[in-house]
Amino acid sequence: MVMNELFWLGVVWVVGIALLAWWRLEMAIVVLLATVPIFLIRLSIFGVPTTLLELGIYACAGVWGMRHLPTKHWRPLFSMFRGMFSGVRVPLGLWLSWTVFSALFAPDLQTSFGILKGWFVDPLLLLLMVADLLSAARLTSVRIILSLGIGAVAVGGFGLVDLWSEIGKIKIPGRLDSFYESANYVSLYLGPILVLWLGMLFGRWKILSWLKRGMILGGMAVMGVALLFKQSFGGWMSAGFASVFLIGVFAIHIERIRWMGGVGLLVLVLATGGYAATQGFSHYNERFQISSLDTRCDLWIGAWGLIQEQPILGQGLGAFRGAYPAYVNAHPQDFPYYVDLYNALWPHQLYLAIWVESGGLALFGFLWLIVAWARRQGQAYWKGREWIFAASLAAMLAIFLHGWVDTPYFKNDLSVLFWIVFLLPLIVPSEQIRATS
């Protein structure tokens, strides 16, 4: 589309989602969660780069604000947010404040503020709206997970059709990439959502009809097959281990027939994961004439060198893409493969990415946040055995494990997914169905 058409598409989208939000905000949020991949449609409004997803979030936030400003709802809302983040406020504040600091002192302020806006401000704004709706029982965890899954099934389904019919242009032959610029983004988005659906299936098994069970299993099959044909060892490793963890947790409380189903699923995960490990542990890159593991080794070496230059303050948010080529040129002897990766945005490792750009304190805050959050959810599950705690823990485990070989946060859809997984167990409505029910 030409820019003028994209502009008017943005206008129509904003008006439509705003009207829906005015009528029923929870429905607008469900639509946003189901259409998270529309961040791929990028446009410019009065010279400011944006996406359809971002415009939708701002439209809903505007309606949300107008509904609350004339009332006295802000005070109890603020108290609810304080309670929601109890136990994680300090590490959360450390990570976010040091990230903002790294953005302010980045060499490219336009890039750093764009990252701050798209991958921190936008998803956190969406998180606050979802939290408000959850606390008011206008939205449930099930609807949120189903909405995310609708988008994931669409991504996986289109990717499979694209791969088998070749209606699109596959970037790397044989690897499913769907709508995305890189096949890696498919597994980063689908893996945690697949785990959430698995938790929802086990946790609500008794109250689901056979039709609904079949629909959920069908959606999971689409996501799972798409992950398999993406040929990503990291994707299957993270989703597989997280699924095994989830099955193990539920197996303590569920009856025999569901345990047998869990064993069958475990065998399936291990079998397909083993296939993925042998076929896709390190795919060969025709362009660079080396494996994907070799390219990561070069990126990790460069990231570690840049970390040693600024271990506390970091290079600045969004600075890796510019600092890495300069470091390679200055230290060519340090790189065993010396691959032309000058367009690399991140070092293909979440923890190195945070450290190299935002500094050691930001990484410490992030890891502290994950540990404190996981500890809180683990205690809550063993106390009440609500399925949402176990499902969220497993989904976060998938993100955490995948972070060792990729960057499952620094993208519009991935940042939204991270914060939704983070939020889900923090506000559990009274009607939540327990895993033991």
Side-chain angles (χ1 to χ4, degrees), residues 403-416:
W404 289 99
V405 293
D406 220 316
T407 48
Y409 182 89
F410 294 103
K411 237 168 110 277
N412 304 69
D413 55 341
L414 301 180
S415 58
V416 166

Side-chain angles (χ1 to χ4, degrees), residues 294 297-298 301 332-339:
D294 296 337
C297 286
D298 267 9
I301 290 170
Q333 71 282 357
D334 295 342
F335 297 85
Y337 306 103
Y338 198 66
V339 183

Side-chain angles (χ1 to χ4, degrees), residues 81-103:
F81 290 148
R82 287 190 61 189
M84 181 178 71
F85 292 115
S86 175
V88 298
R89 287 196 295 264
V90 175
L92 178 63
L94 178 61
W95 174 38
L96 294 181
S97 61
W98 211 252
T99 298
V100 172
F101 179 82
S102 69

